[in-house]
Amino acid sequence: MTETQAEPTLVLDKPTAPPPTGRSVLSAVLRAPIQARTWKEFGYLITAFVLGCLAVCYLFFGFGGGLYVSIFLIGIPLLALVLLGGRVWGRIYRALCRALLGTPVEAPPAFTSQRGLFGFLKSAFTDRASWRAALFLLAQFVLGVVVGYVTLVTVAIVVFTAISPIPWALFEPVNIDENGVERHSLMQFGSFYVDTWPRVLLVSALGIVCCFALPWLVRGVCHLHRLLTVWLLAATVRDRQLVELRASRRAAVEDAAATLRRVERDLHDGTQARLVTIAMALGRAEERIAAGGDATDLIADAHASSKEALTELRELVRGIHPPALELGLAPALETLTARSAVPVELRVHLPQRPSPAIEAIAYFSVAELLTNVVKHAHADRAWVSVLPDSIRTIAVTVRDNGIGGVLPPAEGARAAGSGLAGLAARARAVDGTLSVHSPTGGPTVVTILLPKGDPQ
Protein backbone atom coordinates (compact mmCIF):
# COMPACT_ATOMS: atom_id res chain seq x y z
CA MET A 1 0.00 0.00 0.00
CA THR A 2 1.38 3.38 -1.03
CA GLU A 3 0.14 6.75 0.06
CA THR A 4 1.37 10.15 -1.06
CA GLN A 5 -0.47 13.43 -0.79
CA ALA A 6 -2.22 14.52 -3.97
CA GLU A 7 -3.31 18.06 -4.70
CA PRO A 8 -6.96 18.46 -3.67
CA THR A 9 -9.55 19.17 -6.31
CA LEU A 10 -12.04 21.98 -5.74
CA VAL A 11 -15.64 20.86 -6.25
CA LEU A 12 -18.36 23.50 -6.47
CA ASP A 13 -22.01 22.68 -6.01
CA LYS A 14 -24.34 23.65 -8.82
CA PRO A 15 -26.43 26.69 -7.99
CA THR A 16 -29.96 25.73 -7.10
CA ALA A 17 -32.91 27.46 -8.70
CA PRO A 18 -34.78 29.91 -6.46
CA PRO A 19 -38.16 28.74 -5.22
CA PRO A 20 -41.09 29.93 -7.33
CA THR A 21 -42.79 33.09 -6.16
CA GLY A 22 -46.43 34.03 -6.40
CA ARG A 23 -45.74 36.25 -9.40
CA SER A 24 -43.93 33.48 -11.28
CA VAL A 25 -46.76 31.02 -10.57
CA LEU A 26 -49.34 33.53 -11.83
CA SER A 27 -47.23 34.19 -14.92
CA ALA A 28 -46.98 30.45 -15.62
CA VAL A 29 -50.75 30.05 -15.28
CA LEU A 30 -51.46 32.98 -17.62
CA ARG A 31 -48.95 31.84 -20.24
CA ALA A 32 -49.91 28.16 -20.18
CA PRO A 33 -52.82 28.34 -22.72
CA ILE A 34 -50.64 29.95 -25.40
CA GLN A 35 -47.48 27.89 -24.90
CA ALA A 36 -46.39 25.51 -27.64
CA ARG A 37 -46.06 22.72 -25.09
CA THR A 38 -49.77 22.91 -24.30
CA TRP A 39 -50.81 22.64 -27.93
CA LYS A 40 -48.35 19.81 -28.59
CA GLU A 41 -49.67 17.86 -25.61
CA PHE A 42 -53.25 18.53 -26.70
CA GLY A 43 -52.34 17.22 -30.16
CA TYR A 44 -50.85 14.16 -28.49
CA LEU A 45 -54.12 13.48 -26.65
CA ILE A 46 -56.08 13.66 -29.89
CA THR A 47 -53.59 11.40 -31.66
CA ALA A 48 -53.50 8.97 -28.72
CA PHE A 49 -57.30 8.79 -28.72
CA VAL A 50 -57.41 7.90 -32.41
CA LEU A 51 -54.51 5.45 -32.14
CA GLY A 52 -56.05 3.94 -29.00
CA CYS A 53 -59.24 3.13 -30.89
CA LEU A 54 -57.20 1.57 -33.69
CA ALA A 55 -55.05 -0.34 -31.17
CA VAL A 56 -58.13 -1.84 -29.50
CA CYS A 57 -59.37 -3.02 -32.91
CA TYR A 58 -55.90 -4.39 -33.65
CA LEU A 59 -55.81 -6.38 -30.43
CA PHE A 60 -59.39 -7.64 -30.79
CA PHE A 61 -59.24 -8.71 -34.40
CA GLY A 62 -55.55 -9.71 -34.34
CA PHE A 63 -55.49 -11.86 -31.25
CA GLY A 64 -59.16 -12.82 -31.55
CA GLY A 65 -58.78 -13.86 -35.18
CA GLY A 66 -55.51 -15.61 -34.46
CA LEU A 67 -57.03 -17.61 -31.60
CA TYR A 68 -60.08 -18.40 -33.72
CA VAL A 69 -58.00 -19.90 -36.54
CA SER A 70 -55.43 -21.42 -34.19
CA ILE A 71 -57.10 -24.78 -34.74
CA PHE A 72 -55.40 -24.59 -38.12
CA LEU A 73 -51.64 -24.41 -38.56
CA ILE A 74 -51.81 -20.87 -39.93
CA GLY A 75 -53.24 -19.51 -36.69
CA ILE A 76 -50.08 -19.91 -34.59
CA PRO A 77 -47.77 -18.00 -36.98
CA LEU A 78 -50.52 -15.37 -37.29
CA LEU A 79 -50.52 -14.89 -33.52
CA ALA A 80 -46.73 -14.58 -33.59
CA LEU A 81 -46.92 -11.88 -36.27
CA VAL A 82 -49.63 -10.00 -34.38
CA LEU A 83 -47.53 -10.12 -31.23
CA LEU A 84 -44.45 -8.85 -33.07
CA GLY A 85 -46.61 -6.10 -34.57
CA GLY A 86 -46.64 -4.58 -31.10
CA ARG A 87 -43.05 -3.51 -31.76
CA VAL A 88 -44.30 -1.37 -34.67
CA TRP A 89 -46.90 0.22 -32.42
CA GLY A 90 -44.18 0.84 -29.84
CA ARG A 91 -42.04 2.60 -32.43
CA ILE A 92 -44.98 4.86 -33.33
CA TYR A 93 -45.73 5.79 -29.71
CA ARG A 94 -42.05 6.41 -28.93
CA ALA A 95 -41.84 8.77 -31.90
CA LEU A 96 -44.97 10.61 -30.72
CA CYS A 97 -43.60 10.81 -27.17
CA ARG A 98 -40.36 12.30 -28.47
CA ALA A 99 -41.97 14.74 -30.91
CA LEU A 100 -45.01 15.95 -28.95
CA LEU A 101 -44.18 15.26 -25.30
CA GLY A 102 -40.48 16.13 -25.56
CA THR A 103 -39.39 12.88 -23.91
CA PRO A 104 -37.03 10.63 -25.89
CA VAL A 105 -37.56 6.97 -25.05
CA GLU A 106 -34.78 4.47 -25.59
CA ALA A 107 -35.89 1.64 -27.86
CA PRO A 108 -35.47 -1.98 -26.73
CA PRO A 109 -33.04 -4.22 -28.60
CA ALA A 110 -34.13 -5.34 -32.05
CA PHE A 111 -35.91 -8.65 -32.43
CA THR A 112 -33.59 -11.53 -33.25
CA SER A 113 -35.06 -14.78 -34.52
CA GLN A 114 -33.66 -18.26 -34.28
CA ARG A 115 -33.38 -20.36 -37.40
CA GLY A 116 -36.32 -22.24 -38.81
CA LEU A 117 -40.05 -21.87 -38.32
CA PHE A 118 -40.07 -23.31 -34.82
CA GLY A 119 -37.13 -21.09 -33.88
CA PHE A 120 -39.03 -18.05 -35.16
CA LEU A 121 -42.16 -18.99 -33.21
CA LYS A 122 -40.16 -19.60 -30.04
CA SER A 123 -38.35 -16.28 -30.40
CA ALA A 124 -41.62 -14.42 -31.09
CA PHE A 125 -43.57 -15.86 -28.16
CA THR A 126 -40.68 -15.30 -25.74
CA ASP A 127 -39.93 -11.74 -26.89
CA ARG A 128 -40.38 -9.58 -23.79
CA ALA A 129 -40.53 -6.29 -25.73
CA SER A 130 -43.47 -7.55 -27.82
CA TRP A 131 -45.45 -8.66 -24.76
CA ARG A 132 -44.79 -5.34 -23.03
CA ALA A 133 -45.94 -3.50 -26.17
CA ALA A 134 -49.15 -5.59 -26.23
CA LEU A 135 -49.74 -4.70 -22.57
CA PHE A 136 -49.17 -1.04 -23.46
CA LEU A 137 -51.81 -1.21 -26.21
CA LEU A 138 -54.23 -2.79 -23.76
CA ALA A 139 -53.55 0.02 -21.27
CA GLN A 140 -54.21 2.55 -24.02
CA PHE A 141 -57.85 1.46 -24.04
CA VAL A 142 -58.15 2.93 -20.54
CA LEU A 143 -55.73 5.85 -20.72
CA GLY A 144 -55.85 6.75 -24.39
CA VAL A 145 -59.52 6.07 -25.16
CA VAL A 146 -61.53 6.37 -21.93
CA VAL A 147 -59.45 8.99 -20.08
CA GLY A 148 -58.62 10.71 -23.36
CA TYR A 149 -62.30 10.92 -24.31
CA VAL A 150 -63.26 12.41 -20.94
CA THR A 151 -60.38 14.92 -21.19
CA LEU A 152 -61.23 15.99 -24.75
CA VAL A 153 -64.94 16.36 -23.90
CA THR A 154 -63.98 18.45 -20.87
CA VAL A 155 -61.81 20.67 -23.06
CA ALA A 156 -64.63 21.05 -25.59
CA ILE A 157 -67.20 21.95 -22.90
CA VAL A 158 -64.93 24.51 -21.25
CA VAL A 159 -64.00 26.17 -24.55
CA PHE A 160 -67.63 26.24 -25.66
CA THR A 161 -68.60 27.81 -22.33
CA ALA A 162 -65.93 30.47 -22.76
CA ILE A 163 -67.24 31.48 -26.22
CA SER A 164 -70.92 30.92 -25.38
CA PRO A 165 -71.91 34.60 -25.88
CA ILE A 166 -71.12 34.27 -29.60
CA PRO A 167 -73.53 31.41 -30.45
CA TRP A 168 -76.09 32.84 -27.96
CA ALA A 169 -76.13 36.13 -29.87
CA LEU A 170 -75.87 34.76 -33.40
CA PHE A 171 -78.20 31.76 -33.37
CA GLU A 172 -80.69 32.89 -30.71
CA PRO A 173 -81.37 29.45 -29.21
CA VAL A 174 -84.74 28.94 -27.53
CA ASN A 175 -85.61 26.71 -24.58
CA ILE A 176 -89.11 26.14 -23.20
CA ASP A 177 -89.42 25.99 -19.43
CA GLU A 178 -91.88 23.89 -17.43
CA ASN A 179 -94.51 26.64 -17.73
CA GLY A 180 -94.34 26.63 -21.52
CA VAL A 181 -92.56 29.98 -21.67
CA GLU A 182 -89.94 30.40 -24.42
CA ARG A 183 -86.56 31.53 -23.13
CA HIS A 184 -83.65 32.83 -25.16
CA SER A 185 -81.26 30.47 -23.45
CA LEU A 186 -78.25 28.50 -24.66
CA MET A 187 -78.03 26.33 -21.55
CA GLN A 188 -79.79 25.74 -18.28
CA PHE A 189 -78.94 24.36 -14.86
CA GLY A 190 -82.16 22.98 -13.41
CA SER A 191 -84.53 25.95 -13.28
CA PHE A 192 -81.69 28.45 -13.81
CA TYR A 193 -81.70 29.63 -17.46
CA VAL A 194 -78.82 31.53 -19.03
CA ASP A 195 -81.07 33.90 -20.95
CA THR A 196 -79.75 37.39 -20.16
CA TRP A 197 -76.52 39.15 -20.99
CA PRO A 198 -75.31 39.31 -17.37
CA ARG A 199 -75.91 35.59 -16.95
CA VAL A 200 -74.28 34.78 -20.31
CA LEU A 201 -71.23 36.89 -19.51
CA LEU A 202 -70.99 35.34 -16.03
CA VAL A 203 -70.98 31.81 -17.48
CA SER A 204 -68.50 32.90 -20.14
CA ALA A 205 -66.19 34.38 -17.49
CA LEU A 206 -66.35 31.11 -15.58
CA GLY A 207 -65.40 29.26 -18.79
CA ILE A 208 -62.50 31.64 -19.43
CA VAL A 209 -61.16 31.05 -15.93
CA CYS A 210 -61.42 27.30 -16.48
CA CYS A 211 -59.49 27.68 -19.75
CA PHE A 212 -56.43 28.62 -17.72
CA ALA A 213 -56.80 25.38 -15.77
CA LEU A 214 -57.16 23.18 -18.87
CA PRO A 215 -53.40 23.11 -19.71
CA TRP A 216 -52.67 21.60 -16.32
CA LEU A 217 -55.31 18.93 -16.84
CA VAL A 218 -53.80 18.17 -20.25
CA ARG A 219 -50.29 18.07 -18.75
CA GLY A 220 -51.38 15.74 -15.99
CA VAL A 221 -52.89 13.25 -18.44
CA CYS A 222 -49.88 13.52 -20.72
CA HIS A 223 -47.62 12.88 -17.76
CA LEU A 224 -49.45 9.59 -17.24
CA HIS A 225 -48.91 8.79 -20.93
CA ARG A 226 -45.24 9.62 -20.55
CA LEU A 227 -44.85 7.36 -17.52
CA LEU A 228 -46.68 4.49 -19.26
CA THR A 229 -44.54 4.84 -22.38
CA VAL A 230 -41.29 4.85 -20.44
CA TRP A 231 -42.43 1.96 -18.25
CA LEU A 232 -43.61 -0.40 -21.02
CA LEU A 233 -41.95 0.74 -24.27
CA ALA A 234 -38.46 1.78 -23.16
CA ALA A 235 -35.47 -0.51 -22.91
CA THR A 236 -35.29 -2.15 -19.49
CA VAL A 237 -32.21 -2.44 -17.30
CA ARG A 238 -31.90 -6.01 -18.49
CA ASP A 239 -32.01 -4.86 -22.14
CA ARG A 240 -29.30 -2.28 -21.49
CA GLN A 241 -27.16 -4.85 -19.71
CA LEU A 242 -27.59 -7.22 -22.64
CA VAL A 243 -26.55 -4.54 -25.14
CA GLU A 244 -23.58 -3.53 -22.99
CA LEU A 245 -22.61 -7.18 -22.58
CA ARG A 246 -22.63 -7.72 -26.33
CA ALA A 247 -20.65 -4.52 -26.89
CA SER A 248 -18.13 -5.36 -24.17
CA ARG A 249 -17.74 -8.89 -25.48
CA ARG A 250 -17.11 -7.53 -28.97
CA ALA A 251 -14.63 -5.01 -27.56
CA ALA A 252 -12.87 -7.74 -25.55
CA VAL A 253 -12.59 -9.94 -28.64
CA GLU A 254 -11.24 -7.05 -30.71
CA ASP A 255 -8.80 -6.12 -27.95
CA ALA A 256 -7.57 -9.70 -27.69
CA ALA A 257 -7.21 -9.91 -31.48
CA ALA A 258 -5.27 -6.63 -31.56
CA THR A 259 -2.99 -7.86 -28.78
CA LEU A 260 -2.30 -11.11 -30.61
CA ARG A 261 -1.53 -9.22 -33.83
CA ARG A 262 0.85 -6.92 -31.94
CA VAL A 263 2.63 -9.85 -30.27
CA GLU A 264 2.90 -11.66 -33.59
CA ARG A 265 4.29 -8.54 -35.29
CA ASP A 266 6.81 -7.89 -32.51
CA LEU A 267 7.96 -11.51 -32.52
CA HIS A 268 8.23 -11.60 -36.30
CA ASP A 269 9.93 -8.24 -36.81
CA GLY A 270 12.09 -8.20 -33.68
CA THR A 271 12.90 -11.35 -31.76
CA GLN A 272 12.62 -13.73 -34.71
CA ALA A 273 14.98 -11.60 -36.82
CA ARG A 274 17.53 -11.53 -33.99
CA LEU A 275 17.30 -15.29 -33.52
CA VAL A 276 17.92 -15.77 -37.25
CA THR A 277 20.95 -13.48 -36.98
CA ILE A 278 22.27 -15.49 -34.02
CA ALA A 279 21.78 -18.76 -35.91
CA MET A 280 23.63 -17.42 -38.97
CA ALA A 281 26.47 -16.07 -36.81
CA LEU A 282 26.86 -19.41 -35.03
CA GLY A 283 26.78 -21.21 -38.37
CA ARG A 284 29.61 -19.06 -39.74
CA ALA A 285 31.53 -19.53 -36.50
CA GLU A 286 31.20 -23.30 -36.81
CA GLU A 287 32.48 -23.19 -40.39
CA ARG A 288 35.39 -20.96 -39.38
CA ILE A 289 36.36 -23.24 -36.47
CA ALA A 290 36.18 -26.28 -38.77
CA ALA A 291 38.56 -24.50 -41.14
CA GLY A 292 40.96 -23.81 -38.25
CA GLY A 293 40.21 -20.08 -38.01
CA ASP A 294 39.36 -17.82 -35.06
CA ALA A 295 35.59 -17.39 -34.51
CA THR A 296 35.75 -15.27 -31.36
CA ASP A 297 34.22 -12.17 -32.97
CA LEU A 298 31.28 -14.16 -34.42
CA ILE A 299 30.58 -15.81 -31.08
CA ALA A 300 30.75 -12.43 -29.34
CA ASP A 301 28.25 -10.98 -31.85
CA ALA A 302 25.91 -13.94 -31.28
CA HIS A 303 26.21 -13.49 -27.53
CA ALA A 304 25.37 -9.77 -27.77
CA SER A 305 22.42 -10.49 -30.07
CA SER A 306 21.09 -13.10 -27.63
CA LYS A 307 21.13 -10.50 -24.82
CA GLU A 308 19.24 -8.04 -27.01
CA ALA A 309 16.71 -10.74 -27.89
CA LEU A 310 16.18 -11.50 -24.21
CA THR A 311 15.63 -7.79 -23.50
CA GLU A 312 13.04 -7.57 -26.27
CA LEU A 313 11.29 -10.68 -24.95
CA ARG A 314 11.13 -9.15 -21.46
CA GLU A 315 9.59 -5.95 -22.87
CA LEU A 316 7.13 -8.03 -24.88
CA VAL A 317 6.12 -10.05 -21.83
CA ARG A 318 5.80 -6.87 -19.78
CA GLY A 319 3.34 -5.53 -22.38
CA ILE A 320 1.20 -8.65 -22.02
CA HIS A 321 1.32 -8.97 -18.22
CA PRO A 322 3.77 -6.87 -16.20
CA PRO A 323 5.74 -9.05 -13.75
CA ALA A 324 5.37 -6.30 -11.12
CA LEU A 325 1.64 -7.10 -10.93
CA GLU A 326 2.53 -10.36 -9.23
CA LEU A 327 3.36 -8.24 -6.15
CA GLY A 328 0.16 -6.20 -6.43
CA LEU A 329 -1.19 -3.11 -8.17
CA ALA A 330 0.60 -0.63 -5.89
CA PRO A 331 4.18 -1.89 -6.60
CA ALA A 332 3.38 -2.13 -10.31
CA LEU A 333 2.15 1.46 -10.42
CA GLU A 334 5.16 2.62 -8.43
CA THR A 335 7.43 1.12 -11.10
CA LEU A 336 5.30 2.60 -13.87
CA THR A 337 5.15 6.13 -12.50
CA ALA A 338 8.86 6.11 -11.67
CA ARG A 339 9.62 5.64 -15.39
CA SER A 340 7.26 8.45 -16.47
CA ALA A 341 8.79 11.46 -18.23
CA VAL A 342 6.42 13.72 -16.24
CA PRO A 343 6.68 13.82 -12.42
CA VAL A 344 3.80 11.82 -10.98
CA GLU A 345 2.37 11.78 -7.46
CA LEU A 346 0.91 8.36 -6.69
CA ARG A 347 -1.68 7.50 -4.09
CA VAL A 348 -2.90 3.90 -3.75
CA HIS A 349 -5.09 2.72 -0.92
CA LEU A 350 -6.69 -0.69 -1.44
CA PRO A 351 -7.66 -2.51 1.76
CA GLN A 352 -8.75 -5.45 -0.40
CA ARG A 353 -6.76 -6.55 -3.41
CA PRO A 354 -8.77 -6.60 -6.66
CA SER A 355 -8.88 -9.59 -8.98
CA PRO A 356 -5.93 -10.08 -11.38
CA ALA A 357 -8.03 -9.06 -14.40
CA ILE A 358 -9.07 -5.79 -12.74
CA GLU A 359 -5.47 -5.08 -11.69
CA ALA A 360 -4.31 -5.57 -15.28
CA ILE A 361 -6.98 -3.24 -16.67
CA ALA A 362 -6.15 -0.58 -14.05
CA TYR A 363 -2.41 -0.87 -14.77
CA PHE A 364 -2.70 -0.60 -18.55
CA SER A 365 -5.27 2.22 -18.24
CA VAL A 366 -2.89 4.27 -16.09
CA ALA A 367 -0.04 3.51 -18.50
CA GLU A 368 -2.13 4.67 -21.48
CA LEU A 369 -3.29 7.83 -19.72
CA LEU A 370 0.23 8.78 -18.60
CA THR A 371 1.42 8.29 -22.16
CA ASN A 372 -1.30 10.69 -23.32
CA VAL A 373 -0.21 13.20 -20.67
CA VAL A 374 3.38 13.07 -21.92
CA LYS A 375 2.43 13.28 -25.62
CA HIS A 376 -0.52 15.66 -25.73
CA ALA A 377 -1.28 17.43 -22.45
CA HIS A 378 1.75 19.79 -22.29
CA ALA A 379 1.72 19.17 -18.55
CA ASP A 380 4.60 19.33 -16.09
CA ARG A 381 2.90 17.34 -13.36
CA ALA A 382 0.41 14.49 -12.97
CA TRP A 383 -1.45 12.80 -10.13
CA VAL A 384 -2.57 9.17 -10.01
CA SER A 385 -4.87 7.77 -7.35
CA VAL A 386 -6.43 4.34 -6.89
CA LEU A 387 -8.99 4.44 -4.08
CA PRO A 388 -12.13 2.57 -3.07
CA ASP A 389 -15.24 4.19 -4.50
CA SER A 390 -17.77 1.91 -2.82
CA ILE A 391 -17.92 -1.52 -1.28
CA ARG A 392 -17.67 -3.19 -4.68
CA THR A 393 -15.84 -0.66 -6.88
CA ILE A 394 -12.54 1.18 -7.04
CA ALA A 395 -11.83 4.54 -8.69
CA VAL A 396 -8.71 4.95 -10.83
CA THR A 397 -8.09 8.68 -11.37
CA VAL A 398 -5.39 10.33 -13.48
CA ARG A 399 -5.15 14.13 -13.37
CA ASP A 400 -2.73 16.55 -15.00
CA ASN A 401 -2.22 20.31 -15.09
CA GLY A 402 -2.07 20.48 -18.87
CA ILE A 403 -4.00 22.46 -21.45
CA GLY A 404 -7.22 20.42 -21.21
CA GLY A 405 -9.77 20.28 -24.01
CA VAL A 406 -9.92 16.48 -24.13
CA LEU A 407 -13.16 15.19 -25.62
CA PRO A 408 -14.79 12.19 -23.91
CA PRO A 409 -15.18 9.03 -26.02
CA ALA A 410 -18.44 8.77 -27.90
CA GLU A 411 -21.04 6.44 -26.41
CA GLY A 412 -20.61 2.98 -27.86
CA ALA A 413 -17.40 3.90 -29.70
CA ARG A 414 -15.52 0.89 -30.94
CA ALA A 415 -11.77 1.09 -30.57
CA ALA A 416 -9.72 -1.78 -29.28
CA GLY A 417 -6.63 -1.29 -27.23
CA SER A 418 -5.73 2.40 -27.53
CA GLY A 419 -7.10 5.86 -26.89
CA LEU A 420 -9.88 6.86 -24.55
CA ALA A 421 -12.37 4.84 -26.60
CA GLY A 422 -10.24 1.74 -26.11
CA LEU A 423 -9.97 2.39 -22.36
CA ALA A 424 -13.74 2.89 -22.15
CA ALA A 425 -14.28 -0.38 -24.02
CA ARG A 426 -11.95 -2.20 -21.62
CA ALA A 427 -13.82 -0.74 -18.66
CA ARG A 428 -17.21 -1.70 -20.09
CA ALA A 429 -15.96 -5.25 -20.62
CA VAL A 430 -15.92 -5.66 -16.82
CA ASP A 431 -19.04 -3.52 -16.13
CA GLY A 432 -16.94 -0.43 -15.45
CA THR A 433 -17.24 3.17 -16.63
CA LEU A 434 -14.90 5.92 -17.84
CA SER A 435 -15.59 9.64 -17.40
CA VAL A 436 -13.58 12.64 -18.59
CA HIS A 437 -13.62 16.19 -17.21
CA SER A 438 -11.33 18.42 -19.25
CA PRO A 439 -12.28 22.08 -19.65
CA THR A 440 -10.21 24.23 -21.96
CA GLY A 441 -7.15 25.34 -20.04
CA GLY A 442 -7.21 22.29 -17.79
CA PRO A 443 -7.02 20.43 -15.61
CA THR A 444 -7.87 17.10 -17.21
CA VAL A 445 -9.30 14.47 -14.89
CA VAL A 446 -10.01 10.97 -16.17
CA THR A 447 -11.80 8.64 -13.76
CA ILE A 448 -12.30 4.93 -14.34
CA LEU A 449 -14.64 3.00 -12.05
CA LEU A 450 -13.89 -0.72 -11.93
CA PRO A 451 -15.37 -3.56 -9.89
CA LYS A 452 -13.08 -5.14 -7.30
CA GLY A 453 -13.89 -8.63 -8.53
CA ASP A 454 -14.55 -10.19 -11.90
CA PRO A 455 -17.94 -9.26 -13.42
CA GLN A 456 -20.76 -11.73 -13.04
Side-chain angles (χ1 to χ4, degrees):
M1 182 175 65
T2 302
E3 292 226 24
T4 56
Q5 293 296 326
E7 181 177 320
T9 302
L10 180 62
V11 179
L12 298 178
D13 295 332
K14 294 182 179 180
T16 57
T21 61
R23 182 176 297 179
S24 62
V25 172
L26 179 62
S27 175
V29 172
L30 294 178
R31 288 187 289 107
I34 60 174
Q35 285 182 331
R37 172 185 173 180
T38 302
W39 291 99
K40 285 184 178 181
E41 291 180 341
F42 182 68
Y44 180 89
L45 291 183
I46 297 176
T47 307
F49 175 77
V50 176
L51 289 178
C53 296
L54 297 177
V56 171
C57 297
Y58 174 82
L59 291 177
F60 179 78
F61 291 105
F63 282 99
L67 291 174
Y68 181 76
V69 297
S70 60
I71 57 177
F72 306 104
L73 293 179
I74 193 176
I76 297 177
L78 179 61
L79 284 174
L81 292 176
V82 172
L83 183 61
L84 291 177
R87 283 180 166 267
V88 180
W89 284 95
R91 191 177 299 115
I92 295 173
Y93 275 98
R94 284 193 298 271
L96 286 175
C97 189
R98 181 179 62 252
L100 298 180
L101 299 185
T103 303
V105 180
E106 182 183 0
F111 172 72
T112 55
S113 174
Q114 300 179 10
R115 294 183 179 181
L117 177 61
F118 291 102
F120 169 76
L121 295 177
K122 179 181 178 181
S123 302
F125 287 117
T126 57
D127 184 42
R128 291 166 52 90
S130 298
W131 284 107
R132 296 172 71 234
L135 181 60
F136 175 85
L137 295 181
L138 188 62
Q140 282 298 309
F141 172 72
V142 178
L143 186 58
V145 178
V146 178
V147 178
Y149 175 78
V150 173
T151 305
L152 294 177
V153 169
T154 302
V155 171
I157 292 175
V158 170
V159 173
F160 179 77
T161 303
I163 64 173
S164 58
I166 299 176
W168 183 79
L170 293 179
F171 302 105
E172 298 185 354
V174 175
N175 287 333
I176 300 177
D177 61 12
E178 64 275 8
N179 298 322
V181 178
E182 293 185 352
R183 293 178 176 272
H184 180 202
S185 174
L186 185 65
M187 62 186 74
Q188 70 180 85
F189 303 95
S191 60
F192 181 81
Y193 289 87
V194 184
D195 55 355
T196 62
W197 273 110
R199 293 184 177 184
V200 170
L201 294 178
L202 177 63
V203 172
S204 176
L206 181 63
I208 293 174
V209 172
C210 292
C211 283
F212 290 98
L214 283 181
W216 308 103
L217 173 64
V218 172
R219 292 182 184 183
V221 177
C222 286
H223 184 65
L224 296 178
H225 277 278
R226 188 180 294 110
L227 292 178
L228 186 66
T229 304
V230 173
W231 183 43
L232 291 177
L233 297 184
T236 62
V237 175
R238 180 180 177 182
D239 295 333
R240 297 188 188 97
Q241 289 177 345
L242 182 60
V243 172
E244 292 175 358
L245 178 62
R246 290 174 178 172
S248 62
R249 183 177 62 181
R250 180 173 61 248
V253 171
E254 292 177 352
D255 184 62
T259 301
L260 289 176
R261 288 193 298 269
R262 178 178 59 81
V263 171
E264 180 183 9
R265 182 180 64 251
D266 293 343
L267 287 175
H268 182 272
D269 297 341
T271 308
Q272 180 178 335
R274 292 196 178 277
L275 291 176
V276 171
T277 302
I278 293 172
M280 294 177 62
L282 292 177
R284 290 198 302 271
E286 184 180 6
E287 293 176 357
R288 185 176 298 181
I289 292 173
D294 184 11
T296 304
D297 56 339
L298 295 175
I299 296 176
D301 291 341
H303 184 258
S305 297
S306 65
K307 289 183 178 181
E308 294 176 356
L310 287 174
T311 302
E312 292 181 356
L313 283 175
R314 291 193 192 97
E315 293 295 330
L316 185 60
V317 171
R318 185 178 294 111
I320 300 174
H321 184 79
L325 279 178
E326 300 297 333
L327 302 176
L329 183 60
L333 291 179
E334 287 178 357
T335 305
L336 178 65
T337 55
R339 295 200 304 261
S340 176
V342 173
V344 179
E345 288 190 16
L346 175 65
R347 184 186 180 192
V348 180
H349 178 70
L350 295 175
Q352 181 182 358
R353 183 173 179 179
S355 66
I358 300 302
E359 287 185 336
I361 292 177
Y363 177 87
F364 286 114
S365 298
V366 172
E368 179 76 20
L369 292 173
L370 289 180
T371 301
N372 291 342
V373 170
V374 173
K375 289 183 177 180
H376 310 295
H378 301 285
D380 56 15
R381 198 168 188 80
W383 294 263
V384 176
S385 65
V386 182
L387 304 172
D389 182 69
S390 66
I391 299 177
R392 298 182 179 179
T393 59
I394 61 174
V396 180
T397 304
V398 177
R399 184 166 65 93
D400 65 71
N401 59 352
I403 59 176
V406 178
L407 297 177
E411 183 69 24
R414 297 174 59 185
S418 62
L420 290 179
L423 297 183
R426 282 190 178 186
R428 287 195 301 268
V430 292
D431 297 335
T433 59
L434 181 144
S435 60
V436 179
H437 178 72
S438 181
T440 303
T444 297
V445 181
V446 181
T447 303
I448 303 175
L449 297 182
L450 299 173
K452 292 181 179 179
D454 294 329
Q456 300 297 321

